[in-house]
Amino acid sequence: MPQPAAARRAPEPPAGFVEAVLAVVDDIPPGCVATYGDVAAILGSRGARAVGQVMARYGSDAPWWRVVRAGGRPPSGHAASARPHYDAEGTPLVATTDEDGYRIVIAACRWRP
């Protein structure tokens, strides 16, 4: 029998990890981006998905648009709301024909502390 959605939900990340992720994201300069995997690696983790969970649950007050998917796509489901931030910060973009309509040129703006 399948488990209810609540039972399948990923466990809550430890509070220290949440705070560490948000601190790293706050350090990403305007016009730059880091992938979920980059943020995890900075913290000595391989948990890109855990970083994504933190951003989804707690990242609304952080510069969330600066954390992108490895292929240069904006956060899932947030392309339209992220675009004005990228434009205002001068983040390099390239037009695409996919549903997002653009990708971030990671090679030109990837942040490495």
Side-chain angles (χ1 to χ4, degrees), residues 8-34:
R8 291 189 309 256
R9 189 172 185 180
E12 196 72 22
F17 185 72
V18 170
E19 292 161 357
V21 166
L22 296 176
V24 169
V25 173
D26 282 338
D27 286 345
I28 302 171
C32 295
V33 297

Side-chain angles (χ1 to χ4, degrees), residues 71-98:
R73 293 177 65 195
S76 185
H78 297 286
S81 56
R83 180 66 188 255
H85 295 288
Y86 299 136
D87 291 341
E89 294 181 0
T91 307
L93 306 175
V94 63
T96 63
T97 58
D98 64 11

Side-chain angles (χ1 to χ4, degrees), residues 21-36 38-39 42 55 63-68 89 109-113:
V21 166
L22 296 176
V24 169
V25 173
D26 282 338
D27 286 345
I28 302 171
C32 295
V33 297
T35 67
Y36 295 97
D38 292 340
V39 174
I42 289 166
M55 294 306 297
W64 54 267
W65 58 92
R66 296 181 189 152
V67 184
V68 300
E89 294 181 0
C109 62
R110 187 176 227 155
W111 176 69
R112 303 281 181 158

